[in-house]
Every structure is written in C-alpha cells, then in structure tokens.
Amino acid sequence: MKEASTGRSRETIRRSSRRVFLRAAAGVAAAMSGWRATHAVAGTRAPAGALTASIRLDESAGTIDPNIYGHFAEHIGGVIHDGIWVGRDSKIPNVEGYRLALLEHVRRLGPVVLRWPGGCFADRYHWRDGIGPVEKRPRRFGRWREVTERNIFGTHEFIRFCRLAGFEPYLAANVGTGTPEEFQSWVEYSNAPAGTLSIADERAENGHLEPFGIRFWGVGNESWGCGGTFTPEDYCTEYRKFTTWVAGYGVPLYLIASGPNSNDIDWTRRFFKKWADGARAPMQGWSPHYYCGTTGHALRFTRDEWYLMLEKANAMEKLIRDQWAAVGEFDREHKIRLIIDEWGAWHPEGTEINKAHLFEQMGCLRDALVAALTLDTFNRHPDKVVMANVAQLVNNLHSLFLADEDRFVATPSFHVFEMYKPHQGARAVRLDFAGEDIGFEAQGRKGSIFRLAGSASVKEKDLTVTLVHTHAAEPCELALDLGTGRAAGVRRTVLTHAELNAHNTFEEPARVVPKSDAPALEGSTLRIELAPASVTRLDIRLG
Ligand code: AHR
C-alpha cells in the first residue's frame, strides 16, 4: 500500500550507524580505486549529521563533453507532434511551425546534441518517407504503436529545428528493417556537396543547397529488443555490413553501435568478442541504455521509495564502470567511448496530460534529483562518457517540458539541466565526501544510500560544485574544503521544495524553480547548510 509522501514531519527512516562512508555505484564501484569513486574516505570520522567534502583542484579526469547534456526526440506520442512541431498555421506561438516556448527554453541549455528519430521508431523508419513535398509524403502505420505517421516532420524539418534551437543533430539509422544501402544513402543525402552526386542535388532541390554536415550516426537502436531482437553476434554481423564502407564527404563520421539493455555485460562481451575476432568495423561510440524505472508512482511514493529511486539512479555509476571495463577487454586503448543515449525515470501510466501522448509522465522534485545524480555521475567520468541523451525532450518519459496545445511548462528536471550548464566544457576535478548514510526499506529489501553526492569542475577561475542532498526531511551542514583553492566569492543556487512530489503544472509553472543568493563565504573551507531533498550549485570564484 502506497502512502503519499508529501510532508517533512520527523523522519521515520532508519539511519545507518554513524560511520564514514565509502560509497558510489550502489556501494560497489567505490571499492575501486582512486578518486574516480564519487565518495572516498576522507580522513577522520565526521560527527553525526555533519558532512565534509574536499576538492582536489590538481586532479582531473578530463574535460566534460557538453554532449553529456544531450537530448532525445522520438516520433512517439506527443514528442514531435504537439511537443516540437505545432505547424506553421497554428495559433500556438511558433517559429516556422516549431513551438516558440520550447525554442526559447532549449536555447538556454547550451549547444548540445539532439538524437532523432528514435528509439524503437528508428528501426522501422525509412528516411525517404520524410523528404520532398509534404503533400506527397506517404502515411505509414504502426511505426511504434498502432498510429499513423504522416511524415510531415522529416530530415529537413529536424535539421531546421536543430539549427533554430542550437542543437547538433544525431541521426539514428534503421538496422531493423532497413539496409546498409539505405543507411549509406542517408549519409550521402546529408553530407555530400550539391553538384557531386544526384542524391546531393536532390537535397538541394528539396531546399537545402549546403550539406547538413552530420557527424553523429547511430547504427540501430536497442538491437537486443525492438531494433531487431538480434543476438549480439548477429547484430555485430549487421553492424559490419552497415559501417564497413560509409563515406563522410569531408565530415569525420562518429559511428555509434547499439549497446546493451542496462548493464548487460554478457551482451557487451559477446558483441565485442565477435567484433574483435574479425576486422574491427569502425566504431567510435557504444550506447548502453539505462532507465532507472520507478518506485511507487510518478507522484505518489513513500519516503523509502524516494530513497530507493535515488539508489536506482545511482546504478548508472556501476554501469559506466562495468561497461567501460568490458569494452576495454577488446578495445585496449579505449578508443571507443560510452554514449548513454537513453536514460531517465520511467513511471507507470496515469499522469499523462494528454492520453494521446504515449509514455508522457509528470516529473517532480524526485525526478530532478534523479537527473542531478545522473549528470553528476557523467561529470565524474569525462574520460569514459562523451554523450548522453535524456529520454525524452518533451511530453514523454523523463521530460524537461510538457506541452499541450497552447499550454507549456518546464519540469523541475529542466531547471537541473540549466543549473548544471556551467559544467559543460569545464575540467572535472576530484570531489570526495565523508559523512553518514541513510538506511531504508522498500520493495521487500533493506538498502542504504549516501546522504550527499555531486561533482566539481573548473573553468579558469570559476569552480562549479553541484551537490545532491538525498535526505528527505533534515538539512545538513557541509564543510567544503577547497584544498589548494581559496574562494573569493560564492553564489549559491538551490532547487528544492517542502513536498517531495512537488511539480510544475500549467496552472502553477513556478512551483519548483531554483533560487539564488550570494552567501558571505570566503576562504579555503566553506560551511554551507544544505536543504533537505535538494540540488545545489555553488559558483565559486577562486581568488
Ligand atoms: O524512450 C522510449 C523507448 O524506450 C524507445 O523508443 C526505446 O529505445 C526504449 O526502449
């Protein structure tokens, strides 16, 4: 029986015994070595309730690729139709048919990548259906669920949206029902200069003289499932056929193979064993998908389910380490990087704002913490993860926006993405935590979760620290040691709410929004109170 968890009365959760914790990746990966574990034992034991964190400005795992803040838009439900595309003649404010409010918001997120057209849709999609005069484009049926796809939003419309929004396009090609020839011709259509090939001239006739210049190409999607139900060996055979000869026309192609369902190591090893046994087909990225699922319901959950959900989100840490190691068994120089091109929470049906919007769900404060934990995890692994795409941009699973006709609202997760923007392109630096953890019992098992997680990065004199405080009810005091650094000024931005399931609605769009202040903090140790159930960003000017 679920209980609504909306208040902050005295906690009922159990505390673990007072101890310094060593925790990341649901307790597993931290064993591992070195600072890349999120939390490492930091000296002496901290008093109960107190937390310490320390930053090592001289230890970096690399530069954070802005594309780990990437997005995903599939032809399902209300993502493209209604979410992105409202039509040129719509009364809804738009730019060339694209929803104006969406454009205004995504431009605030930085120039990152947008994946399209799927998802499972990609492995049934024939790109030629979406080019040429709109009135002549075919209607197709059942490309994801049994609905008609009118193909009024095709390659040109997608690229135009990317240009208006400031996104870099990432196309996912059809391996499930397509052919290597079809894939190669999509690359030619996109990248060949007009005048060199008939297919490039066709693009020009369709209104785009200049090549699109597309770098990122996914070769199938979830090939273990909707993308063809292949065995890893069979998918490897297909992958080879699709990629052995593809011309880029001056564009260095970045080819991404479809990875496992969550952290399925066996799938990864079997694929790469075959890949390495033969000629190694060109590949730059390997894309596991990880949905952390749900606990309870999108908006109704217990406190224990709150903690369990955050623990599930934290499994991304172990996935990254495990997949990186498994790929490295075959790609010893680690030329292939991880692309987590679908991730997020996936709640049961029931909070759709429009029943026609497949998978649409309401995102609340809990989803914002899931997003923040996940982005912090990516930030800590810039050497391994170079792209990630939250699923999906609008009107879907872990969406940043909800839209229906002329109504539009940004979810708490949007605010996390905007808060975390200063990490994009910054140098990740080591951040260790010490403090107590929190015990919980949910779905018939006992677990525990760290009280604080986060990441840190530096750009010239600007140090950005993002922190996720998981405790559902109590604030804590953090002593943040900057090591060799010294703060000359601090600005703090906090996203939280007194209700764990607080969310933004069309009627109340600013219920969960970040608030900023400039606390009078200086020196090499900063003492900061962290609100319960919060995401905090500290902008620290180094003196
Ligand atoms: O994001 C929704 C669906 O989830 C995608 O189509 C598929 O790739 C995944 O299983």
Side-chain angles (χ1 to χ4, degrees):
M1 185 94 167
K2 307 275 177 284
E3 70 183 54
S5 172
T6 53
R8 282 246 174 87
S9 57
R10 190 75 193 157
E11 272 295 87
T12 54
I13 59 164
R14 294 169 317 287
R15 290 238 183 128
S16 60
S17 58
R18 176 173 162 255
R19 64 189 171 182
V20 173
F21 64 82
L22 172 64
R23 177 170 298 280
V28 181
M32 6 36 1
S33 47
W35 73 272
R36 283 173 192 151
T38 320
H39 307 87
V41 172
T44 53
R45 288 169 181 258
L51 292 162
T52 63
S54 54
I55 287 179
R56 294 292 302 265
L57 293 170
D58 55 342
E59 291 189 43
S60 174
T63 298
I64 297 167
D65 195 315
N67 281 335
I68 70 162
Y69 290 81
H71 300 280
F72 170 38
E74 181 169 19
H75 277 260
I76 56 176
V79 181
I80 304 294
H81 302 291
D82 206 9
I84 294 175
W85 179 255
V86 296
R88 291 172 198 277
D89 302 328
S90 173
K91 65 178 187 346
I92 300 165
N94 68 84
V95 177
E96 301 173 25
Y98 304 96
R99 185 182 285 276
L100 174 63
L102 181 74
L103 280 171
E104 287 173 345
H105 278 75
V106 297
R107 284 172 183 153
R108 289 160 53 180
L109 296 175
V112 299
V113 76
L114 177 65
R115 176 175 184 247
W116 175 87
C120 296
F121 182 90
D123 278 299
R124 299 150 171 91
Y125 179 66
H126 300 287
W127 66 269
R128 280 198 161 278
D129 289 349
I131 60 167
V134 171
E135 61 284 2
K136 291 195 176 155
R137 296 186 193 171
R139 280 169 293 149
R140 305 283 184 198
F141 193 62
R143 302 287 124 166
W144 213 111
R145 288 253 166 109
E146 296 198 351
V147 291
T148 299
E149 171 56 53
R150 291 174 293 152
N151 284 305
I152 59 176
F153 189 102
T155 305
H156 288 255
E157 289 77 17
F158 172 66
I159 299 296
R160 183 67 186 144
F161 175 64
C162 287
R163 302 296 186 239
L164 289 171
F167 286 136
E168 175 162 5
Y170 163 19
L171 297 183
N174 180 351
V175 173
T177 64
T179 63
E181 181 67 29
E182 184 181 7
F183 169 50
Q184 290 172 15
S185 62
W186 202 7
V187 178
E188 286 177 340
Y189 184 86
S190 300
N191 290 353
T196 62
L197 302 171
S198 333
I199 199 166
D201 294 345
E202 190 182 353
R203 182 196 65 239
E205 281 157 25
N206 287 334
H208 212 282
L209 181 66
E210 292 302 316
F212 297 138
I214 295 173
R215 269 197 299 165
F216 294 114
W217 294 88
V219 184
N221 166 78
E222 297 192 353
S223 301
W224 41 266
C226 63
T229 52
F230 291 113
T231 64
E233 293 82 7
D234 287 347
Y235 172 59
C236 188
T237 301
E238 293 302 308
Y239 184 86
R240 286 180 178 143
K241 287 195 245 169
F242 273 69
T243 58
T244 296
W245 193 89
V246 200
Y249 300 94
V251 179
L253 299 184
Y254 197 102
L255 300 173
I256 298 165
S258 164
N261 182 9
S262 301
N263 190 12
D264 183 345
I265 293 290
D266 181 58
W267 213 88
T268 299
R269 286 208 177 105
R270 283 174 57 190
F271 175 92
F272 278 101
K273 183 169 186 313
K274 178 148 185 155
W275 175 81
D277 279 352
R280 298 169 174 233
M283 186 193 309
Q284 285 70 40
W286 176 247
S287 72
H289 286 177
Y290 177 58
Y291 288 97
C292 60
T294 189
T295 55
H297 170 275
L299 299 178
R300 292 192 306 278
F301 46 85
T302 64
R303 283 213 179 133
D304 285 312
E305 287 169 336
W306 158 275
Y307 291 116
L308 179 60
M309 186 80 211
L310 300 180
E311 187 202 56
K312 283 167 169 258
N314 190 49
M316 185 68 87
E317 171 79 25
K318 179 166 160 48
L319 180 149
I320 290 169
R321 291 175 182 280
D322 289 353
Q323 291 294 320
W324 183 250
V327 175
E329 291 168 20
F330 305 90
D331 171 37
R332 296 214 173 272
E333 292 175 33
H334 277 304
K335 290 192 172 151
I336 299 169
R337 304 299 182 89
L338 299 181
I339 308 281
I340 316 291
D341 57 18
E342 288 185 32
W343 66 269
W346 194 321
H347 300 301
E349 288 177 18
T351 58
E352 308 83 11
I353 48 168
N354 180 331
K355 292 287 175 200
H357 292 176
L358 181 65
F359 299 147
E360 185 169 75
Q361 61 190 33
M362 200 61 82
C364 71
L365 179 65
R366 182 174 64 158
D367 300 284
L369 267 77
V370 166
L373 278 177
T374 307
L375 294 173
D376 280 323
T377 305
F378 296 149
N379 286 342
R380 295 191 301 267
H381 296 285
D383 51 335
K384 307 178 187 72
V385 184
V386 295
M387 188 203 292
N389 309 71
V390 63
Q392 303 193 13
L393 184 67
V394 53
N395 289 350
N396 201 257
L397 297 168
H398 200 137
S399 292
L400 275 63
F401 310 103
L402 295 170
D404 187 33
E405 300 273 320
D406 57 353
R407 300 179 300 168
F408 177 87
V409 68
T411 67
S413 290
F414 162 75
H415 295 295
V416 168
F417 271 73
E418 190 172 39
M419 281 172 70
Y420 276 50
K421 192 176 161 195
H423 284 305
Q424 293 178 17
R427 185 171 58 90
V429 293
R430 174 175 172 173
L431 173 60
D432 296 329
F433 294 97
E436 63 185 6
D437 56 1
I438 302 168
F440 63 86
E441 187 168 349
Q443 297 183 356
R445 76 171 179 84
K446 292 184 176 178
S448 66
I449 186 155
F450 49 78
R451 188 154 177 172
L452 197 56
S455 65
S457 69
V458 177
K459 252 185 218 162
E460 298 177 359
K461 288 280 182 190
D462 293 317
L463 169 64
T464 301
V465 181
T466 44
L467 302 162
V468 179
H469 183 209
T470 63
H471 202 293
E474 294 174 7
C476 72
E477 190 184 272
L478 171 70
L480 176 61
D481 174 9
L482 301 184
T484 54
R486 196 180 174 288
V490 177
R491 187 159 178 81
R492 170 175 57 187
T493 303
V494 181
L495 185 78
T496 188
H497 198 279
E499 295 179 358
L500 299 178
N501 66 352
H503 51 284
N504 297 331
T505 60
F506 298 137
E507 295 74 29
E508 208 181 345
R511 193 146 178 253
V512 190
V513 293
K515 295 187 174 60
S516 296
D517 66 356
L521 293 171
E522 282 183 357
S524 56
T525 300
L526 307 179
R527 295 191 183 281
I528 306 148
E529 182 171 297
L530 298 175
S534 64
V535 181
T536 298
R537 186 187 79 208
L538 300 175
D539 303 311
I540 301 171
R541 182 75 185 160
L542 296 171

